[in-house]
């Protein structure tokens, strides 16, 4: 068993589809072992996506991530990081496979409904930004 970090992004909370996304996550065999709703500050969004700060879309990304609340989650399962990336589909919904979260729900490459960590190391770092061990109940 391993863990990954997930964010249901503002486009999901705005459209009230977080339950629909969770249903896809759970149907894929991932377990939601921690979850809370938070409204990112600009500083939180800039920190979270710091790796992209030189990219042309950074300003837009920070704006989108702070425009409405998000749901931060810890997901548990076998190979959780890779499994959840598969469940999410490609970053650009036009390239996402059938049945994936982004194919089903994403509005655009920026407003693409959910985030999933890209490595076990980043998953641990991202989880620790939002959850204490006591809040994660497997
Ligand atoms: P990922 O979320 O699939 O791991 P990354 O390349 O790490 O994709 O990009 C992080 C986030 O930045 C994406 O999920 C998306 O919201 C946003 N993003 C990535 N590329 C673009 C772009 O070309 N235009 C606008 N937003 C983008």
């Amino acid at each position: 068993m391993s863990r990954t970090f997930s964010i249901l992004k503002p486009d999901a909370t705005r459209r009230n589809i977080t339950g629909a996304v969770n249903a896809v996550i759970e149907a894929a065999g991932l377990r939601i072992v921690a979850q809370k709703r938070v409204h990112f500050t600009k500083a939180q969004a800039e920190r979270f996506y710091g790796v992209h700060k030189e990219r042309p879309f950074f300003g837009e990304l920070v704006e989108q991530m702070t425009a409405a609340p998000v749901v931060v989650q810890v997901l548990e399962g076998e190979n959780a990081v890779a499994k959840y990336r598969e469940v999410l589909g490609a970053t650009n919904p036009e390239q996402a496979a059938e049945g994936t979260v982004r194919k089903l729900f994403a509005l655009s490459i920026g407003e693409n409904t959910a985030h999933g960590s890209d490595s076990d190391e980043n998953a641990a770092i991202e989880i620790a930004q939002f959850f204490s061990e006591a809040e994660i109940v497997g």
Side-chain angles (χ1 to χ4, degrees), residues 13-122:
T13 61
R14 198 174 67 232
R15 289 180 289 158
N16 207 25
I17 58 167
T18 62
V21 178
N22 279 349
V24 177
I25 291 169
E26 293 182 336
L30 289 163
R31 203 166 271 277
I32 302 163
V33 294
Q35 173 168 260
K36 65 188 169 194
R37 192 167 165 106
V38 298
H39 197 137
F40 276 14
T41 62
K42 189 162 182 268
Q44 267 178 318
E46 285 174 348
R47 178 181 176 205
F48 186 79
Y49 278 121
V51 63
H52 293 306
K53 67 174 178 296
E54 306 302 336
R55 307 282 284 277
F57 58 82
F58 184 66
E60 186 191 347
L61 179 58
V62 169
E63 220 166 87
Q64 286 170 345
M65 290 301 292
T66 55
V70 300
V71 175
V72 291
Q73 307 176 308
V74 180
L75 308 181
E76 200 170 79
E78 235 170 84
N79 297 315
V81 165
K83 177 83 200 170
Y84 190 45
R85 299 280 292 187
E86 193 183 303
V87 169
L88 288 180
T91 307
N92 183 348
E94 284 172 16
Q95 285 154 19
E98 289 300 328
T100 60
V101 165
R102 286 164 169 170
K103 178 70 175 188
L104 288 166
F105 302 113
L107 299 174
S108 65
I109 190 168
E111 293 191 295
N112 60 1
T113 310
H115 161 85
S117 308
D118 62 4
S119 67
D120 286 344
E121 189 192 357
N122 283 336

